[in-house]
Amino acid sequence: MLGKGVVGGGGGTKAPKPSFVSYVRPEEIHTNEKEVTEKEVTLHLLPGEQVLCEASTVLKYVQEDSSQHGVYGRLVCTDFKIAFLGDDESALDNDETQFKNKVIGENDITLHCVDQIYGVFDEKKKTLFGQLKKYPEKLIIHCKDLRVFQFCLRYTKEEEVKRIVSGIIHHTQAPKLLKRLFLFSYATAAQNNTVTDPKNHTVMFDSLKDWCWELERTKGNMKYKAVSVNEDYEVCERLPAYFVVPTPLPEENVQRFQGHGIPIWCWSCHNGSALLKMSALPKEQDDGILQIQKSFLDRIYKTIHRPPYEIVKTEDLSSNFLSLQEIQTAYSKFKQLFLIDNSTEFWDTDIKWFSLLESSSWLDIIRRCLKKAIEITECMEAQNMNVLLLEENASDLCCLISSLVQLMMDPHCRTRTGFQSLIQKEWVMGGHCFLDRCNHLRQNDKEEVPVFLLFLDCVWQLVHQHPPAFEFTETYLTVLSDSLYIPIFSTFFFNSPHQKDTNMGREGQETQSKPLNLLTVWDWSVQFEPKAQTLLKNPLYVEKPKLDKGQRKGMRFKLCLQAQNFSPTESAKERAVMHQRQLSLPLTQSKSSPKRGFFREETDHLIKNLLGKRISKLINSSDELQDNFREFYDTWHSKPTDYHGLLLPHIEGPEIKVWAQRYLRWIPEAQILGGGRVATMSKLLEMMEEVQSLQEKIDERHHSQQAPQAEAPCLLRNSARLSSLFPFALLQRHSSKPVLPTSGWKALGDEDDLAKQEDEFVDLGDV
């Protein structure tokens, strides 16, 4: 895979400035408006959805090879989404678009998914907000899922332009009340039609039974107990109705400081050590209250810290780890790399891709999160220590780190239902403020921090490095991130279980009205047909085998086949594609990190024998690791991977990569046509299909050539017609002609000097 600094292919000619040329006069468009309306597709409305405003004669831009073509249609704003209805929808409805969302169409934007709105006035781009004195001739919408929509309003009636632009600005950016969310309109209208997926076995943790089940599953019921002291939310509104605390802890202690300062159980390890979290006590200036708090905490620590039987290590995530401001700042810079208005802008940023990627610090934040999770794993696994995570409200970084630790240590969490149950337990019931962190109400931009998205990105790093260990795919993670902004699911639209429960009752004059039955995002049948859902399940994942000694030898070959160790082939394919962006950290040392390299002693021999001093730039760390951590990390990676046991990621700089499918899927220039991991997956599935077919013949079960897992490979059968960003990228949208800006080409100098540039990609495939 080549770096952002693209060599060759496009020459040194600067791409022409994008422009739209219409060969239809405005009066002709308005004259034929009635005729066009007859063949327009009817807008699909969900139960409870209402049209607020619309405009006709709107041209939606489509970028292709540095020029722009327009698709004529209507732009509609409802209380749920912004939708564009083209006059030729049949062109978009083809067999290649196999991964369709039943709720959100390709040209639909939920109101919660809108990030920024821009208007173009006399070719000048300006941010739109509030009341406008002048209305733009072009509307640009940047979405939180990183899509970019551009609409030309030049031929739209002036009254319609005012209505549609003002309506979109108001309904996407103005502060809202919780009860005004479409979530409640939909739940009320669809009350009698809501069907729960019977195959959904996700544990919701909304009952005492669920917590007792989790305690029994992890063997934590010997030292911990589930309590119902907060059943009516009288103790604390941010805690769930049921949770788990150490057995010796009196329930009256939970009520003392409204749940603050109480160790809440998260998970128990096989060796008896446990992971707990605690919200800090309120900061008081009065000396008397401070003394009472100190005495209270002393009693709490004595309860859970009883050497040599119970040793507890406290991790203060509020002061010794990342800040929420760091996360928000890094992601704000990072996402700008992918919000591309046109292909010219894409290639203009190509030269400085490495520096922009590194300066955002997003990948380094991911590395730091994974490193912290490994440190805690080492304490629990190797040292048999309990770990207590401490945070102001224990609802942000506590959720993130505790979830990653369980994902690494508990193979159950790597199944789909287990992963969904983990999110329910640690994030939904753990009181993560989805409403504030996603800024669904647009009431306080300072509260918006993508903590959950950071978690999903960390999970993707694990899935990318150890595919056979996970029952779900990266596509599953991508659509899960998209679901954050679909307001028909209650999962990610409340700050706490208390807020959800108190708002589920239907307002009105009826005294005996039923509570609202809100959907959860785990009902995947609401969004996808069964055929599309096959892409959410990893066909290479195999449940832990229960075999005798004679059968284990044959299974070993099957597991090796599924390990996806085809990186040399994949690298060769990717190196052949000249317009693919480098997706890992650049091979440059962070300027903000003057300290010694990561695992420096272990890499000295490698440095001397491979690339000398240059390879040292692969290593990027902000601090030295403790000896016990280093030994634990090295020892684990030196052994064969047990995909149903402890699972640790590689956290060296180049191993932390960009989640390409999510961040690059809407950029046609970033695709590898017929290549990437999709092509590798296709070949693997074909091999698995053939092996299974031969095994069936040997066993004389049946002689069918169709394998049991044929339904999944059918979507990947012809890899030459797919893209590396499948299933989101469509081939008819690709642009494959790389162009180097003239200014960038001159700055680089001669072609022979390119290898000396700091932002080049060093290919280690042949070393």
Side-chain angles (χ1 to χ4, degrees):
M1 186 179 297
L2 289 183
K4 281 287 289 107
V6 181
V7 181
T13 305
K14 188 173 182 178
K17 188 174 182 179
S19 61
F20 175 81
V21 179
S22 175
Y23 298 98
V24 184
R25 296 193 303 272
E27 56 270 21
E28 292 179 334
I29 294 178
H30 291 299
T31 302
N32 298 331
E33 192 171 335
K34 291 184 180 179
E35 180 183 343
V36 174
T37 304
E38 293 179 358
K39 59 181 180 180
E40 284 180 345
V41 178
T42 304
L43 176 65
H44 173 67
L45 297 176
L46 296 176
E49 184 178 4
Q50 297 179 349
V51 175
L52 302 176
C53 53
E54 64 178 282
S56 57
T57 325
V58 176
L59 291 157
K60 175 180 175 289
Y61 285 116
V62 179
Q63 282 77 35
E64 190 174 282
D65 291 334
S66 300
S67 63
Q68 294 181 324
H69 303 281
V71 177
Y72 171 83
R74 282 188 301 154
L75 187 61
V76 182
C77 180
T78 73
D79 55 351
F80 169 63
K81 65 177 180 284
I82 301 167
F84 177 79
L85 302 176
D87 62 353
D88 190 12
E89 290 291 320
S90 60
L92 299 174
D93 188 15
N94 52 59
D95 293 336
E96 289 185 6
T97 315
Q98 301 181 57
F99 193 66
K100 294 181 180 179
N101 191 307
K102 296 192 291 183
V103 178
I104 302 297
E106 184 181 357
N107 290 316
D108 293 344
I109 316 166
T110 65
L111 301 183
H112 296 279
C113 192
V114 174
D115 191 9
Q116 294 289 337
I117 301 176
Y118 301 93
V120 176
F121 304 84
D122 299 327
E123 298 188 359
K124 294 182 180 180
K125 180 178 172 182
K126 297 181 181 179
T127 305
L128 301 182
F129 55 88
Q131 296 290 333
L132 301 181
K133 295 181 180 179
K134 184 180 179 181
Y135 290 87
E137 60 188 33
K138 182 177 178 181
L139 192 66
I140 302 176
I141 301 177
H142 286 186
C143 304
K144 292 183 178 181
D145 62 3
L146 305 180
R147 288 180 296 170
V148 176
F149 288 85
Q150 301 185 59
F151 302 102
C152 176
L153 306 174
R154 188 177 302 169
Y155 305 123
T156 308
K157 294 179 181 178
E158 184 178 355
E159 298 79 9
E160 293 184 357
V161 171
K162 292 180 179 179
R163 281 198 299 268
I164 194 67
V165 174
S166 299
I168 290 175
I169 293 175
H170 175 74
H171 293 290
T172 59
Q173 297 188 351
K176 303 177 181 64
L177 297 175
L178 178 60
K179 276 291 189 178
R180 301 291 294 176
L181 293 182
F182 180 74
L183 174 71
F184 297 97
S185 301
Y186 178 83
T188 302
Q191 187 70 8
N192 298 326
N193 300 323
T194 303
V195 179
T196 304
D197 184 2
K199 298 181 180 180
N200 180 22
H201 302 297
T202 303
V203 182
M204 305 303 290
F205 291 98
D206 55 0
S207 68
L208 198 64
K209 180 181 178 182
D210 290 347
W211 288 99
C212 292
W213 176 87
E214 181 72 355
L215 277 172
E216 185 176 353
R217 185 187 72 82
T218 60
K219 305 296 187 294
N221 49 359
M222 301 298 294
K223 301 177 182 179
Y224 300 90
K225 62 180 179 181
V227 295
S228 58
V229 64
N230 196 42
E231 194 165 24
D232 297 322
Y233 301 105
E234 294 179 357
V235 174
C236 181
E237 293 183 355
R238 60 177 181 78
L239 287 175
Y242 312 99
F243 51 90
V244 176
V245 297
T247 300
L249 188 70
E251 291 191 8
E252 54 267 22
N253 281 4
V254 179
Q255 306 175 19
R256 184 71 182 277
F257 288 97
Q258 297 182 324
H260 289 272
I262 296 299
I264 305 296
W265 176 87
C266 297
W267 181 77
S268 287
C269 182
H270 60 87
N271 60 16
S273 61
L275 181 64
L276 305 103
K277 62 184 177 182
M278 176 191 290
S279 58
L281 287 170
K283 296 180 180 179
E284 299 287 349
Q285 300 298 324
D286 184 84
D287 292 339
I289 297 179
L290 284 174
Q291 189 61 37
I292 293 174
Q293 291 182 353
K294 183 178 183 302
S295 176
F296 175 77
L297 285 178
D298 287 342
R299 292 197 301 270
I300 294 296
Y301 278 113
K302 288 179 181 179
T303 301
I304 60 175
H305 187 86
R306 295 173 293 175
Y309 308 105
E310 297 286 339
I311 302 176
V312 179
K313 178 182 179 182
T314 302
E315 282 283 350
D316 189 348
L317 300 179
S318 295
S319 59
N320 300 327
F321 193 45
L322 291 168
S323 68
L324 297 181
Q325 183 60 45
E326 283 182 85
I327 297 173
Q328 175 61 23
T329 301
Y331 185 70
S332 296
K333 294 179 181 179
F334 178 72
K335 70 180 180 181
Q336 295 306 317
L337 298 173
F338 311 101
L339 291 168
I340 305 297
D341 288 350
N342 52 64
S343 58
T344 300
E345 183 179 339
F346 176 89
W347 294 114
D348 282 344
T349 63
D350 194 62
I351 298 296
K352 49 189 176 182
W353 168 261
F354 277 154
S355 57
L356 293 173
L357 178 62
E358 187 173 21
S359 63
S360 72
S361 299
W362 180 251
L363 297 187
D364 186 59
I365 284 178
I366 292 172
R367 187 194 67 82
R368 291 167 65 183
C369 291
L370 292 172
K371 175 178 174 291
K372 178 62 68 175
I374 297 173
E375 289 177 354
I376 294 171
T377 298
E378 188 272 333
C379 290
M380 298 179 65
E381 177 77 16
Q383 301 185 44
N384 286 23
M385 295 173 62
N386 293 339
V387 178
L388 178 63
L389 304 177
L390 182 63
E391 192 183 12
E392 184 177 354
N393 286 313
S395 59
D396 287 305
L397 298 176
C398 276
C399 300
L400 171 64
I401 298 301
S402 64
S403 298
L404 289 177
V405 170
Q406 293 175 62
L407 203 68
M408 293 178 188
M409 300 187 72
D410 191 346
H412 172 72
C413 297
R414 302 195 284 266
T415 65
R416 197 163 87 176
T417 56
F419 183 69
Q420 294 173 174
S421 301
L422 174 67
I423 293 175
Q424 279 292 138
K425 180 180 69 171
E426 295 298 329
W427 294 85
V428 179
M429 291 299 161
H432 180 65
C433 301
F434 284 104
L435 199 65
D436 293 340
R437 295 293 177 248
C438 297
N439 201 15
H440 289 315
L441 299 182
R442 293 280 183 174
Q443 292 181 351
N444 190 349
D445 292 343
K446 294 182 180 179
E447 294 291 327
E448 184 174 359
V449 185
V451 183
F452 186 70
L453 180 58
L454 174 59
F455 164 67
L456 293 182
D457 210 327
C458 291
V459 175
W460 179 86
Q461 304 294 332
L462 280 161
V463 172
H464 179 76
Q465 293 183 22
H466 305 290
F470 293 86
E471 189 182 22
F472 50 87
T473 62
E474 68 168 344
T475 302
Y476 168 89
L477 294 174
T478 302
V479 297
L480 183 58
S481 71
D482 291 342
S483 301
L484 282 168
Y485 316 113
I486 304 179
I488 67 172
F489 306 109
S490 63
T491 310
F492 304 132
F493 274 83
F494 292 100
N495 282 338
S496 65
H498 169 263
Q499 188 183 55
K500 176 183 176 182
D501 291 348
T502 53
N503 285 279
M504 283 181 64
R506 187 185 309 166
E507 291 183 352
Q509 311 234 340
E510 301 175 7
T511 56
Q512 295 184 345
S513 59
K514 296 180 180 179
L516 295 178
N517 185 17
L518 303 178
L519 291 174
T520 70
V521 73
W522 315 127
D523 292 330
W524 293 107
S525 59
V526 176
Q527 295 191 65
F528 303 104
E529 297 291 351
K531 187 176 182 180
Q533 288 186 56
T534 59
L535 291 174
L536 307 183
K537 186 174 182 179
N538 183 10
L540 301 180
Y541 173 81
V542 177
E543 295 183 7
K544 188 174 183 178
K546 297 180 180 179
L547 307 172
D548 55 33
K549 293 183 179 179
Q551 294 174 301
R552 289 175 185 169
K553 187 175 181 181
M555 178 57 69
R556 190 175 304 160
F557 166 76
K558 191 172 184 180
L559 290 175
C560 290
L561 175 63
Q562 296 163 350
Q564 281 201 72
N565 292 325
F566 284 75
S567 55
T569 304
E570 183 183 0
S571 297
K573 178 69 178 179
E574 292 170 344
R575 288 197 301 269
V577 181
M578 301 299 295
H579 59 275
Q580 175 66 7
R581 297 192 166 192
Q582 168 63 12
L583 300 181
S584 65
L585 280 173
L587 306 188
T588 55
Q589 191 171 7
S590 173
K591 296 180 181 179
S592 61
S593 177
K595 299 185 179 181
R596 299 182 67 200
F598 182 82
F599 293 178
R600 185 61 177 269
E601 289 79 4
E602 283 72 25
T603 59
D604 280 345
H605 180 72
L606 181 66
I607 293 172
K608 294 177 181 178
N609 288 279
L610 291 182
L611 295 177
K613 294 182 179 180
R614 185 59 189 270
I615 194 68
S616 66
K617 295 183 180 181
L618 285 167
I619 313 304
N620 183 13
S621 176
S622 60
D623 56 356
E624 279 294 319
L625 299 173
Q626 298 177 0
D627 291 339
N628 54 0
F629 175 89
R630 183 181 306 169
E631 181 182 358
F632 175 74
Y633 182 92
D634 285 344
T635 301
W636 188 89
H637 281 291
S638 66
K639 298 178 181 178
T641 303
D642 178 9
Y643 294 115
H644 297 283
L646 180 66
L647 196 71
L648 300 183
H650 291 279
I651 57 175
E652 297 86 348
E655 298 296 337
I656 306 300
K657 300 182 181 297
V658 173
W659 182 0
Q661 188 189 69
R662 183 183 193 275
Y663 298 122
L664 289 167
R665 55 186 160 154
W666 313 121
I667 304 178
E669 292 81 6
Q671 301 179 43
I672 301 177
L673 303 182
R677 296 179 66 85
V678 173
T680 305
M681 177 72 74
S682 177
K683 296 299 181 184
L684 280 171
L685 293 178
E686 289 177 10
M687 291 174 63
M688 289 177 62
E689 202 172 9
E690 183 178 357
V691 170
Q692 290 170 349
S693 178
L694 291 173
Q695 186 64 50
E696 288 168 2
K697 290 181 179 181
I698 293 173
D699 297 339
E700 296 182 353
R701 294 176 181 174
H702 56 78
H703 298 281
S704 173
Q705 294 295 326
Q706 183 178 4
Q709 294 179 325
E711 190 174 14
C714 70
L715 292 172
L716 301 170
R717 174 62 65 187
N718 190 354
S719 61
R721 293 185 57 78
L722 299 178
S723 157
S724 59
L725 303 179
F726 178 84
F728 299 97
L730 302 177
L731 291 188
Q732 65 266 25
R733 297 172 54 204
H734 81 273
S735 172
S736 59
K737 187 177 181 180
V739 178
L740 269 178
T742 306
S743 58
W745 181 261
K746 290 180 179 178
L748 283 173
D750 296 334
E751 202 169 316
D752 296 337
D753 296 331
L754 289 175
K756 300 177 182 178
Q757 300 298 321
E758 281 296 302
D759 277 351
E760 70 172 329
F761 175 69
V762 177
D763 184 10
L764 301 179
D766 299 324
V767 177

